[in-house]
Amino acid sequence: MKTSTAIYPGSFDPVTNGHLDLIERGAKMFDRLIVAVLHNAEKQPLFTVPERLEMLREVTRAWPSVEIDVFEGLLVDYAQKRQASVILRGIRAISDYEYELQMALMNRKLQPKLETVFMMPAETYSYLSARLVREIAMFNGPLQGLVPPLIEARLRAKNAKK
Ligand code: PNS
């Protein structure tokens, strides 16, 4: 039996409602969806990798076919290790396109059998990004509708500690 496994890679610092919209769509489309958090030693994230994994696990509980994992190094190598045939990425607006096209084509060059599939989140989330969420949280602005309540609580707690 053929089962399709897709990887949805990203920083997820933190996971937003836009990411969740895409996860929901991806879970409907693929037999198994692996949401893979990049462990990037060069970046200074707001949340540690274990924190991001834990938050993702909490907010994706409703989807049994969704797995949360972490990866390091090249995405194509990780995809091969997990026997995934598809990379799932979201495109919100035309401004995402150039960066995403470059990544998709480079990944194709590195591993021609791996296909990148783009999905569009609901238009409500077309202007939403984790970077803006972090910024709004830093200045104690309203986050309703942008992230799940649990993530809002984690953001508030993180900023209270600073
Ligand atoms: O959420 P992001 O930060 O836009 O996700 C970027 C991500 C993790 C998809 C990208 O940086 C990535 O795949 N990094 C792994 C290293 C790699 O494979 N680089 C070559 C990609 S062309």
Side-chain angles (χ1 to χ4, degrees):
M1 199 176 72
K2 202 174 165 189
T3 51
S4 60
T5 300
I7 294 176
Y8 178 28
S11 305
F12 304 102
D13 187 29
V15 57
T16 68
N17 284 347
H19 295 131
L20 288 175
D21 179 283
L22 216 77
I23 291 170
E24 187 171 15
R25 287 171 204 280
K28 280 186 200 143
M29 195 158 165
F30 303 100
D31 297 315
R32 191 159 63 126
L33 181 66
I34 303 169
V35 180
V37 177
L38 174 68
H39 184 274
N40 186 349
E42 284 169 25
K43 261 193 175 177
Q44 270 290 323
L46 178 62
F47 290 99
T48 64
V49 168
E51 283 172 334
R52 281 179 272 162
L53 293 173
E54 198 247 321
M55 288 189 287
L56 273 164
R57 287 197 179 108
E58 285 284 329
V59 297
T60 58
R61 264 170 196 229
W63 300 294
S65 63
V66 174
E67 184 193 328
I68 310 301
D69 197 11
V70 57
F71 79 104
E72 264 183 288
L74 287 180
L75 179 59
V76 291
D77 292 337
Y78 175 70
Q80 192 180 19
K81 191 177 108 187
R82 299 304 315 266
Q83 294 181 309
S85 52
V86 170
I87 294 171
L88 174 67
R89 290 285 289 173
I91 290 204
R92 291 162 297 191
I94 199 77
S95 49
D96 284 337
Y97 179 76
E98 221 168 309
Y99 170 62
E100 294 297 336
L101 178 74
Q102 191 184 17
M103 267 205 305
L105 293 180
M106 186 56 83
N107 282 328
R108 181 180 283 167
K109 167 105 180 106
L110 295 171
Q111 177 47 267
K113 285 187 188 149
L114 191 62
E115 223 33 90
T116 300
V117 169
F118 294 111
M119 291 180 96
M120 283 155 293
E123 59 186 53
T124 338
Y125 305 124
S126 59
Y127 55 88
L128 177 54
S129 74
R131 185 180 64 80
L132 290 182
V133 162
R134 291 195 299 272
E135 202 166 296
I136 295 165
M138 190 166 76
F139 297 110
N140 220 9
L143 290 165
Q144 208 188 2
L146 305 182
V147 292
L150 176 129
I151 308 298
E152 176 170 359
R154 298 293 165 89
L155 279 160
R156 303 280 181 226
K158 179 72 78 178
N159 286 312
K161 271 194 207 156
K162 277 187 173 174

